[in-house]
Amino acid sequence: ESVPPPRRASVPQRPHQTAVVLQDIELQQGGRAMPIRPITARFKHACVNGVRGRSGIGKSTLAYLIAGVMQPRRGRIWIHGKDATNDLQYRRSHTVFMPQHAQLFNGTLYDNIVYADVHSRGETRTRPATPAWTKARVHALLDESGLAGALQGNHDASASTAYLDRRVVHEGSNLSGGQKQIVMYARTLISAASRHKSTVYVLDEPH
């Protein structure tokens, strides 16, 4: 399905090379339109795309829209060439959303990385672990991504998975801010790897 041209900006003629297209989007908060101009933008496939702006301008709201957490007041949202404006499930199934604030619970690091299922509205739920995601596989993913070292602490930085048994208290108060972020990154990577499809990563204020 081809993407029709928007009124204020050109859309790539090859939509399959564009992960996300926003067309004349009007943001809303509390049912009211935000005082900013309609947004038209495109985010290319297989690229790191960033949105900058002062606090309160709507960056998080824009992330929620792409991830299928919220609906725009007006405008259209295209994901991989499909008009997904009114298809929240399509947006949710083709994006992996990492919220700005870490959603952690009582358990081990492994529990929080593998068991945690961040719902589309930012709630944290628990589900049975996917058997394929063993501690060894989780460690391999973290090590390959360069994230394992920050979580290992005094543990041997070899192939040991002992650090994944570290206890995490409610909301991760015994972890540093950077470690919380790494847990969220790891959760995001595993969620994307489990889908076996082209996925758009939506990261709200990654550090």
Side-chain angles (χ1 to χ4, degrees), residues 178-195:
Q179 289 174 326
K180 293 179 185 178
Q181 194 84 5
I182 288 173
V183 172
M184 297 296 287
Y185 273 127
R187 185 185 293 172
T188 301
L189 291 173
I190 286 177
S191 179
S194 300
R195 299 191 181 197

Side-chain angles (χ1 to χ4, degrees), residues 80-205:
H80 296 312
K82 172 183 169 62
D83 186 348
T85 307
N86 297 313
D87 193 343
L88 292 177
Q89 184 57 42
Y90 184 87
R91 272 188 270 160
R92 292 168 182 171
S93 65
H94 286 77
T95 61
V96 174
F97 178 52
M98 191 182 83
Q100 182 175 349
H101 301 290
Q103 304 286 331
L104 304 178
F105 59 90
N106 292 326
T108 65
L109 281 175
Y110 176 75
D111 294 337
N112 274 272
I113 292 172
V114 179
Y115 283 64
D117 179 16
V118 178
H119 191 256
S120 59
R121 289 180 176 81
E123 302 168 353
T124 300
R125 301 180 177 181
T126 57
R127 57 178 170 79
T130 303
W133 284 105
T134 62
K135 289 181 182 179
R137 189 180 177 195
V138 170
H139 169 70
L141 176 67
L142 293 174
D143 191 47
E144 181 181 358
S145 304
L147 302 177
L151 295 177
Q152 285 172 326
N154 296 325
H155 293 281
D156 184 6
S158 63
S160 172
T161 62
Y163 69 98
L164 292 174
D165 293 322
R166 178 180 176 181
R167 299 298 301 180
V168 176
V169 299
H170 182 59
E171 296 182 353
S173 60
N174 61 328
L175 300 179
S176 69
Q179 289 174 326
K180 293 179 185 178
Q181 194 84 5
I182 288 173
V183 172
M184 297 296 287
Y185 273 127
R187 185 185 293 172
T188 301
L189 291 173
I190 286 177
S191 179
S194 300
R195 299 191 181 197
H196 304 294
K197 65 174 68 172
S198 181
T199 303
V200 177
Y201 291 79
V202 183
L203 311 180
D204 188 7
E205 299 229 4

Side-chain angles (χ1 to χ4, degrees), residues 20-40:
V20 179
V21 175
L22 306 177
Q23 182 180 352
D24 296 330
I25 294 293
E26 290 187 13
L27 304 180
Q28 61 179 340
Q29 283 185 341
R32 296 183 178 181
M34 297 182 66
I36 59 176
R37 292 183 300 175
I39 299 170
T40 293

